[in-house]
Structures are given as structure tokens and as C-alpha cells.
């Protein structure tokens, strides 16, 4: 059974940091590219960051460049999102997703974790 389980969300003040984790199981994690997405109330889901199967290639949305870092540990079947200098506009539900190397669309999605940035 495929599972992606996000953790690490919560309430943080502007300027603060959070580290999200996504634990994967039920598929060959090291053969999949991984991504983090977010969706704020009333807005479309957007891509935040992605990382290829080996960790050698990463991409970020312009809105988070320089503040967020995506990483993965294939030995632990886990992908991370380090979020620094958080802003109120980063408030959203954050999802991780997995995509086969050869695929265009993401195959598997987690249930999401809420991140709220507020004073």
C-alpha cells in the first residue's frame, strides 16, 4: 500500500522556521522524483519545490527561492522541506507528491499538513 505521510506543520510567527517531512512507503522511493505543493484557502494548488530521484537536481517556485530548501534521504524514504523566513502568505496546506522518473504527472499524493504563519 502506497503511503506518503507529511509531518512538521504548525503555527509559527512571521520570520520563523519549520521543517516538513514526508515519509514514503509502498513504492520504490529512490526511483521517484518528489515534490512539495501547497494550497491556500480559495487558491489553486501550486508547486513549491521539487527534487529528482538522486537529489542532484532541485527546483523552486520564485516565491520561496532563498527561503525554502528541499532535500531527500533515500535511505530513510523521506523528503524534507526546510522553510525559513516564513511569511503570512506561506500559510497553506502543504502536500508532498511522488512522480515516476519518466512521468509527467505525479502518481502519489499525501494528505497534507497545515502551516500557519501568524503573529
Amino acid at each position: 500500500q502506497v503511503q506518503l505521510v507529511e509531518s512538521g506543520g504548525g503555527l509559527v510567527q512571521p520570520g520563523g522556521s519549520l521543517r516538513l517531512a514526508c515519509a514514503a512507503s509502498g513504492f520504490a522511493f529512490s526511483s521517484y522524483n518528489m515534490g512539495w505543493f501547497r494550497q491556500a484557502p480559495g487558491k489553486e494548488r501550486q508547486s513549491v519545490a521539487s527534487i529528482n530521484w538522486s537529489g542532484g537536481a532541485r527546483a523552486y517556485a520564485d516565491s520561496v527561492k532563498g527561503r525554502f530548501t528541499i532535500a531527500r534521504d533515500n535511505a530513510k524514504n523521506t523528503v524534507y522541506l526546510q522553510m525559513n523566513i516564513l511569511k503570512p502568505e506561506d500559510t497553506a496546506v502543504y502536500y508532498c507528491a511522488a512522480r515516476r522518473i519518466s512521468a509527467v504527472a505525479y502518481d502519489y499524493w499525501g494528505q497534507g499538513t497545515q502551516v500557519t504563519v501568524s503573529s
Side-chain angles (χ1 to χ4, degrees):
Q1 180 183 1
V2 171
Q3 281 193 310
L4 291 172
V5 180
E6 300 96 336
S7 61
L11 174 64
V12 64
Q13 292 187 343
S17 297
L18 282 175
R19 187 194 195 203
L20 305 183
C22 172
S25 60
F27 64 99
F29 179 78
S30 60
S31 297
Y32 280 68
N33 299 329
M34 299 296 295
W36 284 97
F37 294 76
R38 68 185 181 187
Q39 188 167 21
K43 295 188 177 181
E44 292 187 355
R45 185 173 61 197
Q46 66 168 156
S47 175
V48 175
S50 62
I51 188 167
N52 75 333
W53 63 275
S54 69
R58 309 175 192 191
Y60 298 93
D62 287 343
S63 59
V64 307
K65 278 182 182 176
R67 299 188 298 123
F68 290 12
T69 301
I70 189 170
R72 66 189 295 159
D73 185 337
N74 285 347
K76 296 182 178 180
N77 286 0
T78 302
V79 61
Y80 304 96
L81 186 67
Q82 178 68 44
M83 305 186 295
N84 298 328
I85 318 175
L86 283 160
K87 304 175 181 180
E89 51 263 43
D90 294 317
T91 296
V93 177
Y94 283 71
Y95 301 89
C96 71
R99 176 170 62 86
R100 285 166 293 149
I101 294 173
S102 59
V104 175
Y106 280 81
D107 299 281
Y108 309 123
W109 291 84
Q111 293 299 307
T113 185
Q114 176 71 47
V115 171
T116 302
V117 184
S118 175
S119 55

